């Protein structure tokens, strides 16, 4: 079984970014960013669970006696597993992009002084990435 991944909210850059948003009176942005990070953490955990279940299903399929059924199911399980792994990887890239954006924003705020407002992360790219994952999951569901 896959081990529990650490929460993104425990990352020092994320903590500093959220604190900066909160202290600069961007409370709505703080709340939305925190919720988005929690959602991404939950998705990452779910992908881990699904991948583990697919590995268990693969082992079960290997024990089937009927070669035609075994071959068909093995191919389907393999495709679904690939989609899940690819989507988990995409999610990891989204998370890395978010943290990099937060780090850049914090550096800009420090560079421009405390009077400068902290720039909120660009959620458009995150939304596009999550939509891409949604399409992949829809494909795996159809398989």
């Amino acid at each position: 079984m896959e081990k529990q991944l650490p929460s993104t909210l425990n990352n020092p850059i994320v903590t500093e970014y959220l604190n900066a948003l909160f202290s600069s009176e961007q409370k709505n942005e703080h709340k939305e960013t925190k919720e988005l990070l929690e959602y991404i953490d939950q998705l990452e955990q779910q992908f881990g669970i699904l991948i583990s279940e697919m590995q268990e299903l693969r082992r079960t399929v290997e024990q089937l006696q009927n070669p035609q059924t075994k071959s068909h199911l093995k191919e389907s399980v393999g495709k679904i597993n690939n989609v899940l792994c690819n989507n988990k990887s995409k999610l990891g890239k989204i998370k890395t992009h978010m943290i990099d954006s937060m780090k850049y924003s914090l550096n800009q705020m420090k560079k421009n002084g405390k009077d400068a407002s902290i720039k909120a992360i660009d959620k458009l790219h995150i939304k596009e990435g999550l939509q891409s994952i949604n399409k992949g999951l829809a494909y795996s569901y159809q398989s």
Side-chain angles (χ1 to χ4, degrees), residues 5-82:
L5 297 170
S7 172
T8 306
L9 296 173
N10 293 335
N11 182 306
I13 293 169
V14 172
T15 302
E16 185 179 357
Y17 180 82
L18 289 173
N19 289 338
L21 281 176
F22 193 79
S23 65
S24 67
E25 300 299 320
Q26 295 183 33
K27 290 181 173 79
N28 191 42
E29 189 68 35
H30 172 269
K31 179 182 175 228
E32 289 176 357
T33 302
K34 187 174 180 180
E35 287 174 353
L36 181 60
L37 290 166
E38 289 169 347
Y39 178 71
I40 288 173
D41 282 346
Q42 288 173 358
L43 275 178
E44 198 168 39
Q45 294 295 328
Q46 291 300 316
F47 274 123
I49 291 168
L50 287 171
I51 290 168
S52 290
E53 289 177 0
M54 291 307 294
Q55 290 170 348
E56 181 64 33
L57 183 58
R58 180 179 283 165
R59 286 189 287 273
T60 302
V61 167
E62 286 296 327
Q63 296 173 358
L64 293 175
Q65 299 299 317
N66 184 323
Q68 288 177 322
T69 303
K70 183 177 180 177
S71 173
H72 178 70
L73 289 175
K74 193 173 181 181
E75 181 181 334
S76 295
V77 168
K79 286 179 183 178
I80 293 169
N81 192 57
N82 286 340

Side-chain angles (χ1 to χ4, degrees), residues 88-126:
K88 186 176 181 182
S89 175
K90 284 180 188 178
L91 189 62
K93 289 175 185 175
I94 290 170
K95 190 164 81 168
T96 300
H97 174 72
M98 282 183 69
I99 293 171
D100 289 345
S101 295
M102 289 175 186
K103 187 175 183 178
Y104 175 79
S105 182
L106 286 167
N107 287 336
Q108 289 299 309
M109 183 187 76
K110 290 174 185 175
K111 182 179 171 183
N112 296 330
K114 291 186 179 184
D115 294 332
S117 176
I118 186 164
K119 181 183 179 265
I121 56 174
D122 182 8
K123 291 191 185 101
L124 180 61
H125 294 298
I126 296 164

